[in-house]
Amino acid sequence: MKADKLILSEAIWTGLGNETISGGIAIKQNKILYIGSESLDEYKSEQTEILDYKDHLVIPGIHDSHLHFFMSSVLNSGKVVLLYETKSEEECIELLKKEAEKITNKEQWIMGFGWYNLLWDNQELPSKASLDEAFPDQPMFVQSSDAHTVWMNSAGFKKLNITKDTPDPVGGHYSRDEQGELTGILHETAGMSAVAQVYKFSEDESSEMIKTFIKHINSLGITAVSDLSMMAVPGGDLIPDHVYHKLLKQQELNVRIHMYPTLVKDMTRPDTMRKNYQFSKLQTCGVKQFFDGVSSTHTAFLSEPYSNAKSKDDVGTLTISKEEMRDLVLQAIENDYSVRIHTIGDGAISMALDIFEEAEKKFGKNPHLQHCLEHLENIQEKDIQRLKDLNILASCQPAHSMIDPEGIEADLGQDRIRLMWPFRDYLSKGVKLSFGTDSPVSDINPFESIYNAVVRKRIDGTPETGWQPQQSISVQEALRAYTWGSYQTCQRTEELGTLEIGKLADLAILDTNIFTERPEKMIRTTSLLTMIDGDIVYKK
Ligand SMILES: [Zn+2]
């Protein structure tokens, strides 16, 4: 059979072993017809397009297995003020002011995203006072980088009809001072419920933002994502499935999207989505729910108190009770859904594993489902083994480990941090591991994440000796977690995740050989050519 395209390279990494091969890949329509070092003559015809990439590294397409695609697209669009680099409340105000100058409609929301007070010189949470002074009329909605906290002004509260008498929602609260006045900070579900009301765009606006973001990620070799519900509140998954579907029908969806709406008692939305989307490029693969918060605000649920405990029982909080979670998970599994649970603290991880263990006893092992725990920041040794025994995949984000390692040390203490983001231990014990970024919480760039996992340093090279370097893994192991590992989450390793004969032709050709270059060079890697289903979706 003749090929449509032949890719030639001296460095093809199939994903199967650690070595690269010199040879070629023959592609017919959307599949790999041949890959190897033998002569490609029999695949060549006059119509065959030859893509000779010399010594450039060819890899399977990268799959970010945990992110929030719509929010990432919005933040990439320039419609939101990015505050990731700020060092103070005042600096945020200055950046927001610049945006406000451009906006004439005083009713319109101004959105900001990315502040993180624990990285500020003064680590206190900001308040509405500073926003009110700068923006007395314009409603402001300013989210922290982990998306768990919102900072708002009085005009914003007014627009959302939130007053000091508004009751706190389940799983969150409006911060109040001693007089009961709103301070301007919304925690967890309180802020999350507001997001869906503020981030409103027309279908056309949404399509444009998504298309632009897809182009960006294609330039980084990404060919697939898992889009997880952003918020547990109703209507808050922020998965615009109808827009994705429209782009698919217009043949403009140049990424495979695997969707995980929120797991709630009423399964109408997941059921409808599962019925409607079972395409190769757009499918509903399971459901997602939150079990705890984040370590930095002491909302991640631990088995023992935080090392810098603010009170005697400072162990964090579950966002829903174990009984509620148990009922939800059992209901989902009974209805053939793979379940992904946000678990950051070791206490939440243990309880989630208890629930999966009970489910296995009740329903038996089901090879058609792949349950995952998300984030798993600190874990007990015994639970690493349980992940393996219960076939629960560890869905990890290496970039999270480098947001604030010093803060984590203070929160968790020297003993526990040895088992934080323990990628090496997962692989040694045979635990399934996938990588992602949780974008927009961390930058979508997969090469920064691989760098984080391999050298356990921030991208500025600190800490010099690496943070908990005993948990480092090799570049090949990290890339495997980002390709084959990520396709385990949606159970598509039969057709994707490695470059093999008969598999779908999703791949990237990189400008940097990340296996042979020194790690610092890896960070700026981009794709020269990205292919999905045998189609070139990006070319430099
Ligand atoms: Zn997330």
Side-chain angles (χ1 to χ4, degrees):
M1 201 190 287
K2 301 298 177 195
D4 299 326
K5 296 184 181 79
L6 286 181
I7 294 175
L8 309 177
S9 163
E10 289 153 31
I12 300 171
W13 188 67
T14 61
L16 294 171
N18 285 337
E19 305 306 319
T20 57
I21 55 167
S22 178
I25 307 171
I27 294 157
K28 176 79 182 167
Q29 289 171 341
N30 63 344
K31 288 207 173 122
I32 297 173
L33 199 56
Y34 171 81
I35 177 165
S37 301
E38 280 158 36
S39 163
L40 295 161
D41 286 348
E42 63 172 294
Y43 303 104
K44 225 180 278 177
S45 76
E46 280 186 6
Q47 283 77 43
T48 304
E49 186 181 354
I50 313 278
L51 301 157
D52 186 354
Y53 273 84
K54 313 282 187 231
D55 61 350
H56 284 292
L57 181 64
V58 183
I59 62 166
I62 291 172
H63 177 167
D64 188 311
S65 63
H66 178 134
L67 53 57
H68 308 288
F69 203 68
F70 180 63
M71 200 60 175
S72 300
S73 304
V74 175
L75 294 186
N76 182 60
S77 72
K79 291 186 197 294
V80 178
V81 184
L82 301 181
L83 304 167
Y84 294 101
E85 307 289 325
T86 54
K87 283 275 170 236
S88 66
E89 185 171 348
E90 296 73 34
E91 205 182 323
C92 291
I93 299 278
E94 286 314 309
L95 289 171
L96 292 163
K97 269 186 186 163
K98 279 194 193 131
E99 177 69 15
E101 281 164 17
K102 293 185 241 159
I103 291 172
T104 46
N105 179 358
K106 289 289 157 212
E107 297 280 290
Q108 191 186 322
W109 284 104
I110 291 182
M111 287 96 84
F113 190 98
W115 59 272
Y116 195 60
N117 58 301
L118 297 178
L119 296 179
W120 288 353
D121 302 328
N122 171 1
Q123 299 190 355
E124 299 276 307
L125 278 165
S127 79
K128 67 176 179 184
S130 57
L131 283 176
D132 282 349
E133 198 191 322
F135 313 98
D137 308 310
Q138 189 108 40
M140 306 295 291
F141 192 85
V142 193
Q143 271 180 291
S144 64
S145 63
D146 61 13
H148 285 255
T149 312
V150 172
W151 171 28
M152 224 162 74
N153 64 346
S154 299
F157 282 118
K158 197 170 152 211
K159 201 167 163 96
L160 292 177
N161 287 322
I162 298 167
T163 68
K164 67 181 172 52
D165 302 317
T166 305
D168 289 334
V170 177
H173 68 278
Y174 305 105
S175 171
R176 298 164 213 263
D177 64 16
E178 275 124 54
Q179 283 74 46
E181 290 294 335
L182 298 167
T183 68
I185 293 294
L186 294 75
H187 291 283
E188 303 294 329
T189 55
M192 291 174 182
S193 331
V195 173
Q197 296 180 62
V198 174
Y199 280 80
K200 277 195 179 142
F201 300 98
S202 72
E203 199 172 292
D204 284 347
E205 274 179 302
S206 300
S207 303
E208 282 314 309
M209 291 189 285
I210 290 167
K211 279 196 295 191
T212 307
F213 189 59
I214 290 175
K215 251 185 223 138
H216 171 59
I217 67 174
N218 288 161
S219 79
L220 294 167
I222 295 173
T223 54
V225 297
S226 292
D227 190 10
L228 274 73
S229 164
M230 181 115 185
M231 299 168 296
V233 296
D237 61 35
L238 292 188
I239 300 175
D241 50 302
H242 58 289
V243 184
Y244 298 157
H245 193 204
K246 194 181 108 185
L247 291 173
L248 177 73
K249 285 188 287 191
Q250 295 168 350
Q251 302 191 339
E252 290 183 289
L253 195 67
N254 287 336
V255 63
R256 297 184 196 277
I257 302 186
H258 307 91
M259 299 182 287
Y260 295 82
T262 315
L263 166 58
V264 282
K265 223 171 163 37
D266 174 5
M267 294 291 270
T268 312
R269 175 148 167 84
D271 286 346
T272 315
M273 284 176 67
R274 181 163 65 176
K275 202 170 97 237
N276 290 346
Y277 311 117
Q278 287 303 341
F279 308 102
S280 185
K281 279 189 182 163
L282 181 64
Q283 45 185 264
T284 310
C285 300
V287 285
K288 187 236 181 154
Q289 184 49 275
F290 291 82
F291 212 0
D292 64 348
V294 288
S295 308
S296 56
T297 54
H298 289 203
T299 50
F301 185 70
L302 305 180
S303 59
E304 301 282 334
Y306 281 89
S307 300
N308 51 359
K310 290 168 184 152
S311 61
K312 204 171 103 257
D313 310 311
D314 190 5
V315 291
T317 41
L318 291 173
T319 44
I320 61 173
S321 72
K322 188 176 180 184
E323 292 66 40
E324 273 176 281
M325 182 62 94
R326 173 187 172 277
D327 292 349
L328 287 174
V329 172
L330 293 182
Q331 170 196 305
I333 295 176
E334 199 170 5
N335 287 291
D336 271 326
Y337 280 99
S338 294
V339 181
R340 301 179 68 164
I341 309 179
H342 168 120
T343 48
I344 286 195
D346 67 335
I349 292 171
S350 287
M351 282 186 187
L353 289 171
D354 292 346
I355 294 169
F356 284 127
E357 197 171 330
E358 186 185 338
E360 191 181 289
K361 281 201 190 105
K362 195 165 170 171
F363 304 116
K365 279 191 195 292
N366 185 343
H368 303 295
L369 301 181
Q370 179 61 62
H371 309 304
C372 309
L373 293 186
E374 306 301 315
H375 313 310
L376 312 98
E377 289 193 2
N378 79 299
I379 183 167
Q380 297 170 32
E381 201 143 11
K382 67 170 172 49
D383 283 340
I384 298 183
Q385 188 58 45
R386 288 173 84 204
L387 286 171
K388 160 81 179 149
D389 295 342
L390 293 165
N391 185 32
I392 306 298
L393 184 145
S395 163
C396 297
Q397 298 73 35
H400 284 189
S401 64
M402 286 298 128
I403 292 176
D404 184 21
E406 293 80 11
I408 281 290
E409 287 192 34
D411 289 324
L412 277 302
Q414 291 304 319
D415 237 18
R416 285 184 283 204
I417 60 169
R418 287 181 303 108
L419 279 183
M420 295 207 64
W421 294 284
F423 306 144
R424 168 54 54 212
D425 288 0
Y426 289 149
L427 293 179
S428 323
K429 290 242 164 72
V431 173
K432 290 179 176 172
L433 177 68
S434 77
F435 276 169
T437 56
D438 203 12
S439 169
V441 174
S442 303
D443 195 288
I444 185 87
N445 187 329
F447 303 105
E448 292 184 7
S449 287
I450 292 172
Y451 174 83
N452 294 149
V454 170
V455 300
R456 308 273 291 193
K457 295 181 191 180
R458 295 187 186 89
I459 53 171
D460 67 3
T462 62
E464 217 172 288
T465 49
W467 191 75
Q468 302 299 316
Q470 74 280 2
Q471 296 295 351
S472 297
I473 58 176
S474 71
V475 180
Q476 283 87 346
E477 287 168 329
L479 190 56
R480 190 170 291 119
Y482 240 128
T483 49
W484 188 74
S486 288
Y487 274 111
Q488 287 187 310
T489 59
C490 53
Q491 298 189 293
R492 300 186 75 183
T493 50
E494 291 290 313
E495 53 176 354
L496 289 154
T498 52
L499 299 176
E500 291 178 81
I501 293 171
K503 282 194 163 181
L504 296 174
D506 284 19
L507 56 84
I509 305 175
L510 307 181
D511 66 353
T512 306
N513 187 329
I514 59 174
F515 297 142
T516 54
E517 279 291 351
R518 59 194 170 81
E520 291 67 32
K521 267 204 88 179
M522 181 197 305
I523 301 166
R524 279 179 295 279
T525 302
T526 58
S527 179
L528 297 171
L529 179 147
T530 305
M531 183 178 276
I532 299 176
D533 268 344
D535 292 327
I536 297 169
V537 294
Y538 174 83
K539 199 169 181 181
K540 204 174 193 169

